Amino acid sequence: MSDALKHECGIAHIRLLKPLEYYKEKYGSAFYGVNKMYLMMEKQHNRGQDGAGFASIKLDTKPGERYISRVRSIQQQPIQDIFGQINNRINQVLTEHPEYQDDVALQKKHVPYIGEVLLGHVRYGTFGKNSVESVHPFLRQNNWMHRNLILAGNFNMTNVKELFNNLVALGQHPKEYTDTITIMEKIGHFLDDAVSKIYKDLKKEGYSKHECSPLIAERLKVHKILKRAAKNWDGGYAMAGLLGHGDSFVLRDPAGIRPAFYYKDDEVVVVASERPVIQTVFNVEFDDVKELEPGHAIITKKSGDVSIKQILEPLERKSCSFERIYFSRGSDAEIYQERKTLGKLLMPQVLKAIDNDTKNTVFSYIPNTAETSFYGMIDTVEEHLNERKTQDILDGNGNLSKEQVISILEETPRIEKIAIKDVKLRTFITEDSSRDDLVAHVYDVTYGVIKPTDNLVIIDDSIVRGTTLKKSIIKMMDRLHPKKIIVVSSAPQIRYPDCYGIDMANLESLVAFNAALELLKDNNKYDLVEEVYKKCKSQVDLADKDVKNYVKEIYDQFTPEQISDKISELLTDKSVNAKVEIIFQSVENLHKACPKHLGDWYFTGNYPTNGGNRVVNRAFINFYEGNKERAY
C-alpha cells in the first residue's frame, strides 16, 4: 500500500499438552514452546511493528515459586528485542547454574519464561501513546492464582464509554479509559465472582482453604465467565487470555471481523491470527488448521482438556475483506488466490482505459503487497493476447508467412518493475516543512523502459488518502514521460472510517470523501453536507441500534465512475504532463474475489455491528465541526 496505515495486531498462543521433559527428549530442548513462539511472532511481524510482548505460565508450581513471566518492548525491532532479553536471562541462569543444563525440573523451577502456557502479541497502535505500558499482554495481578489474568488481543471496541461506565456502576475504579483495560477488568470482575462462588461452595462442602485451590481450577467454567463478560461488547476482536492456574482461551467476535485460526494434536494447542503461520511453524497441512468460528472460544483447561464453546450468538458473517486485500500474509493459500482474482477482475476496465493497446502499454505494480494482484492482472492480459493472436492467425486463412506468424506470436505483456520503494519514512520524518520533499522520494523509478507513446499501468492494493500517490508515485511515473498513467486499485473506493482495528478514524483524510465533497460543490449540491450533519446530530442520543448511516447520502449523489474521475483530478498535480486515470475495483467484484469474506464497511458503509453506525455518525459531526478528535 502506498499510503502508510497503522493497523491490526497479531496474537499467538501455544499450550503444551505434555510435560516439558517430553519436549526435551523428543525435540532436544525444554524451551520448545519459547522457540515456537518466537517463530510464530516473527511470522506475524506484518501485523504489528510498534511493539511486541510475551507472557508465560508454569503449571503446578509450589507457593513462593514464580509462575508468571512477562516481557514487552517498543524498540525498533521489538520481537527480536524481547526474545533477546529472554535468551539473555535464560543463558545467564544456565551459566550461573550449570547443574540446570540437563535437568528439566530444575529449569522449570528456576529459569524464567519457560512454561507450558504461552502468549505472544505484536502491536500496531491505533491510537494513544506508543509506550511500553500500551503493549500487550496486559496483566491483572492477584495473590489468588486463579484470579491472575493475562490478556492480549487484536481488537477495537466501539462502545468503550458504555463498558467503562458499566464497570464504574459495578463499583470498580478502572485505571485507564482504554478498551483493553476495560475488557480485562470486565473479564476480571466475573472471574473474581466465579472464583468466590466456587470457594464458598467448597467451604460448605467441608474442604479446607488449602484443599480448595486445585478444586477451584477444576470447577471454573471459563465459557460462563466469557458469556457474562462479553454480553454487551460491540467491536471486532480476537482476544486471548491466560488464567494464573493454567486455563486459557481465545475468543472471536460474533461477526468474525477479526481472524483466528487453531491447530491441535496430542502435543500442542496453537492459535494465531494467520493460518500460514501455524502451517509453517508446525509443518502441518492447510486442512489441519481450523478457523475459529465467529462468536466461539477455544478453551484449554489446566487439565489439558480442549473444547470449542459458543460464547455469543453469531451474527451475519462479515470477516474483513480489506484485511485480506492488504494486511494478512499473502502466503495463505486462499488469500493468494483472492488477490490474484482481484487483479483479474480489473482487466476489463484496464483494457478499456488503454483502448486495448497492449503493444504500447507497460504493466507494473506498487511493491510489495500489490504484487499478487499484479500476477492475476497479467494472467488476464495473456489470456486476452492469446485470444487475439489465435484470431489473427485464423483470419490469415493459412496464407500467413512464417515471419508473419512469428510476429503475431511474439507479442507478450510488457512487464517491468517500475516503482522501487526506497525508504521507510515514518522512522525519521518529524518536521512538517521537509516532509513533502521526502515523501516525493519514497519511491524511485526504473528509467529507460517507457516510450513517449506508451501507457503505464501500475496497480496498488488500495488507495486510502492518496497522499503518496499525489506527492510521490504519479510525479515519479511522469518523469518517465508516458502518454498516460493508469493507477489501478485492487480494492474499491475507501469511503468510510474503520472502528474495528485499522487506523482510519476520520472521514476528511479519505480521498474518496474529499472527491464527493468536490463533486457536491461542482454540482451546486453542497447544502446536502449541512443536511447530513443535522441528521447525524439528531441521532447523538439514540441507542446504537437506532442510528442510521446518513453519510451514505453524500455518495449516493454520484456514480462510482464520477467519484473515480474526481479522485484522478485531485491526485494529479499541475506539474504532471501525462494524462492520469485512476481505476477502482467494484464492490461486486470484491465479493466475487472474496466470497466468504463480505466485511465491506470501508467501501459500502454497511457496518457489521450497531456501534459502527454511531462511529461514522460521530466522524461526520467531527468533520463538519472541525473537531480533530477520534470518532471512537
Side-chain angles (χ1 to χ4, degrees):
M1 177 187 288
S2 53
D3 288 319
L5 280 182
K6 290 188 176 183
H7 57 84
E8 297 309 322
C9 293
I11 56 172
H13 170 47
I14 296 175
R15 168 61 199 273
L16 303 179
L17 298 175
K18 303 282 189 183
L20 295 180
E21 285 80 3
Y22 173 91
Y23 305 94
K24 170 73 171 176
E25 182 176 341
K26 183 172 181 178
Y27 298 105
S29 173
F31 303 105
Y32 172 83
V34 176
N35 292 334
K36 291 294 188 185
M37 182 61 74
Y38 167 69
L39 290 173
M40 287 181 70
M41 291 175 66
E42 190 57 64
K43 293 293 182 183
Q44 293 186 103
H45 76 269
N46 56 297
R47 303 187 69 86
Q49 296 167 28
D50 284 341
F54 167 93
S56 65
I57 290 178
K58 302 179 182 186
L59 301 180
D60 300 313
T61 57
K62 295 178 181 178
E65 294 179 358
R66 182 178 179 181
Y67 61 96
I68 294 177
S69 296
R70 181 180 63 154
V71 58
R72 300 179 293 175
S73 173
I74 55 168
Q75 294 300 309
Q76 187 77 12
Q77 295 182 306
I79 299 171
Q80 290 88 335
D81 183 53
I82 62 173
F83 282 94
Q85 292 183 52
I86 289 170
N87 286 333
N88 288 340
R89 282 293 309 278
I90 290 172
N91 291 332
Q92 179 187 346
V93 174
L94 293 180
T95 300
E96 292 173 355
H97 299 276
E99 68 273 18
Y100 299 167
Q101 199 70 245
D102 295 309
D103 191 322
V104 177
L106 288 176
Q107 287 179 4
K108 180 175 175 179
K109 182 176 181 179
H110 297 289
V111 178
Y113 304 112
I114 185 173
E116 295 90 345
V117 194
L118 312 167
L119 180 58
H121 187 265
V122 292
R123 176 181 188 262
Y124 261 125
T126 52
F127 64 95
K129 294 179 179 178
N130 189 37
S131 64
V132 74
E133 288 78 15
S134 302
V135 178
H136 299 199
F138 280 34
L139 174 59
R140 187 178 190 264
Q141 292 180 291
N142 195 288
N143 272 347
W144 282 62
M145 182 179 279
H146 319 85
R147 293 184 179 182
N148 281 289
L149 172 64
I150 302 171
L151 189 73
N154 168 19
F155 63 91
N156 263 11
M157 296 296 172
T158 70
N159 61 335
V160 178
K161 183 177 180 180
E162 175 192 344
L163 298 173
F164 183 89
N165 290 337
N166 287 345
L167 286 175
V168 174
L170 289 169
Q172 291 197 20
H173 189 94
K175 63 182 181 180
E176 286 184 42
Y177 188 82
T178 64
D179 51 4
T180 309
I181 291 293
T182 304
I183 292 303
M184 183 172 67
E185 292 299 340
K186 190 79 168 177
I187 298 172
H189 170 79
F190 291 110
L191 172 62
D192 290 346
D193 188 55
V195 170
S196 295
K197 286 179 179 177
I198 296 171
Y199 176 69
K200 288 177 183 176
D201 290 342
L202 289 169
K203 291 291 289 179
K204 288 178 182 177
E205 294 171 28
Y207 291 99
S208 68
K209 293 179 179 179
H210 182 69
E211 292 171 327
C212 285
S213 189
L215 294 172
I216 290 173
E218 287 179 21
R219 295 190 186 186
L220 200 63
K221 305 293 185 187
V222 175
H223 69 282
K224 290 187 175 180
I225 294 169
L226 293 176
K227 281 184 177 181
R228 296 177 72 190
K231 186 177 179 182
N232 297 316
W233 293 352
D234 188 295
Y237 50 87
M239 63 179 67
L242 315 180
L243 306 186
H245 62 271
D247 288 0
S248 65
F249 67 85
V250 178
L251 169 63
R252 191 179 183 196
D253 69 82
I257 295 170
R258 298 275 75 92
F261 298 89
Y262 69 92
Y263 166 75
K264 178 188 178 301
D265 59 22
D266 62 342
E267 295 181 354
V268 292
V269 177
V270 186
V271 188
S273 296
E274 305 258 10
R275 186 200 302 265
V277 169
I278 300 175
Q279 286 182 252
T280 300
V281 174
F282 289 89
N283 192 24
V284 295
E285 297 298 321
F286 179 93
D287 291 336
D288 295 328
V289 183
K290 309 299 181 185
E291 184 176 5
L292 183 61
E293 289 299 313
H296 287 66
I298 179 168
I299 298 168
T300 308
K301 291 291 292 176
K302 176 181 178 293
S303 62
D305 291 338
V306 182
S307 60
I308 308 289
K309 298 282 188 181
Q310 181 178 309
I311 305 303
L312 296 162
E313 187 71 31
L315 303 172
E316 182 181 1
R317 187 186 178 93
K318 292 288 185 179
S319 47
C320 176
S321 56
F322 193 25
E323 176 162 337
R324 303 180 75 79
I325 292 169
Y326 172 58
F327 301 124
S328 297
R329 292 182 75 83
S331 56
D332 182 283
E334 289 183 341
I335 290 173
Y336 184 80
Q337 291 303 323
E338 288 166 7
R339 290 181 179 175
K340 282 194 75 174
T341 303
L342 288 167
K344 289 181 178 182
L345 292 172
L346 281 160
M347 272 316 296
Q349 292 171 266
V350 173
L351 289 170
K352 181 180 177 183
I354 62 173
D355 293 325
N356 291 309
D357 184 8
T358 52
K359 187 171 290 187
N360 292 299
T361 300
V362 171
F363 297 90
S364 194
Y365 62 91
I366 305 293
N368 289 314
T369 51
E371 186 173 1
T372 306
S373 293
F374 172 74
Y375 293 146
M377 188 169 73
I378 294 304
D379 284 349
T380 310
V381 178
E382 289 174 340
E383 291 169 9
H384 170 77
L385 285 177
N386 287 337
E387 288 175 9
R388 194 165 75 192
K389 288 187 279 189
T390 302
Q391 191 61 51
D392 287 347
I393 292 171
L394 291 173
D395 289 345
N397 294 317
N399 296 319
L400 298 175
S401 67
K402 178 182 177 181
E403 288 74 17
Q404 286 174 314
V405 173
I406 290 173
S407 177
I408 290 170
L409 294 177
E410 275 181 341
E411 186 180 348
T412 57
R414 293 172 60 194
I415 301 168
E416 304 289 352
K417 187 167 185 179
I418 296 294
I420 303 160
K421 195 161 189 179
D422 224 11
V423 68
K424 192 173 181 183
L425 279 174
R426 75 187 186 98
T427 61
F428 64 84
I429 290 182
T430 58
E431 187 183 4
D432 289 342
S433 60
S434 62
R435 184 178 180 87
D436 284 358
D437 183 56
L438 289 165
V439 168
H441 294 84
V442 174
Y443 291 89
D444 204 350
V445 289
T446 303
Y447 293 94
V449 294
I450 304 289
K451 301 189 299 291
T453 53
D454 284 338
N455 304 302
L456 173 55
V457 174
I458 190 154
I459 189 168
D460 198 352
D461 45 53
S462 54
I463 299 168
V464 183
R465 304 181 185 100
T467 307
T468 308
L469 263 183
K470 181 171 184 175
K471 295 183 181 297
S472 178
I473 294 170
I474 293 175
K475 285 184 177 182
M476 296 295 282
M477 299 301 109
D478 193 53
R479 291 184 185 182
L480 305 178
H481 308 299
K483 70 176 181 182
K484 187 175 184 181
I485 299 169
I486 298 106
V487 180
V488 186
S489 169
S490 68
Q493 297 164 5
I494 296 171
R495 299 179 168 193
Y496 300 93
D498 180 60
C499 50
Y500 304 117
I502 296 170
D503 191 21
M504 294 192 294
N506 58 48
L507 282 162
E508 58 269 27
S509 65
L510 306 179
V511 69
F513 181 70
N514 286 305
L517 294 180
E518 290 302 314
L519 285 169
L520 289 174
K521 292 175 185 176
D522 293 346
N523 290 274
N524 297 315
K525 293 182 177 181
Y526 202 79
D527 288 348
L528 180 63
V529 173
E530 185 175 358
E531 292 175 25
V532 172
Y533 168 70
K534 289 177 179 177
K535 289 179 179 179
C536 291
K537 285 290 282 187
S538 70
Q539 299 186 106
V540 168
D541 296 322
L542 296 182
D544 285 357
K545 64 181 179 63
D546 298 321
V547 176
K548 295 181 180 179
N549 182 357
Y550 286 114
V551 180
K552 289 183 179 183
E553 294 183 10
I554 299 291
Y555 296 104
D556 287 345
Q557 310 301 310
F558 311 105
T559 66
E561 291 75 21
Q562 287 175 306
I563 294 175
S564 293
D565 289 345
K566 181 56 73 171
I567 291 173
S568 301
E569 183 184 318
L570 292 178
L571 297 186
T572 304
D573 191 270
K574 292 178 181 179
S575 64
V576 173
N577 294 310
K579 182 181 179 183
V580 176
E581 182 175 349
I582 298 179
I583 295 172
F584 288 88
Q585 189 75 258
S586 69
V587 173
E588 293 74 23
N589 280 344
L590 171 69
H591 291 167
K592 286 180 185 176
C594 308
K596 296 189 290 186
H597 307 278
L598 302 178
D600 60 6
W601 58 92
Y602 311 87
F603 320 115
T604 65
N606 298 328
Y607 288 90
T609 74
N610 292 327
N613 284 340
R614 180 175 52 76
V615 168
V616 73
N617 198 53
R618 170 49 59 188
F620 193 84
I621 292 170
N622 286 348
F623 150 71
Y624 188 87
E625 295 179 350
N627 185 346
K628 298 302 181 183
E629 291 181 3
R630 300 180 67 86
Y632 60 90

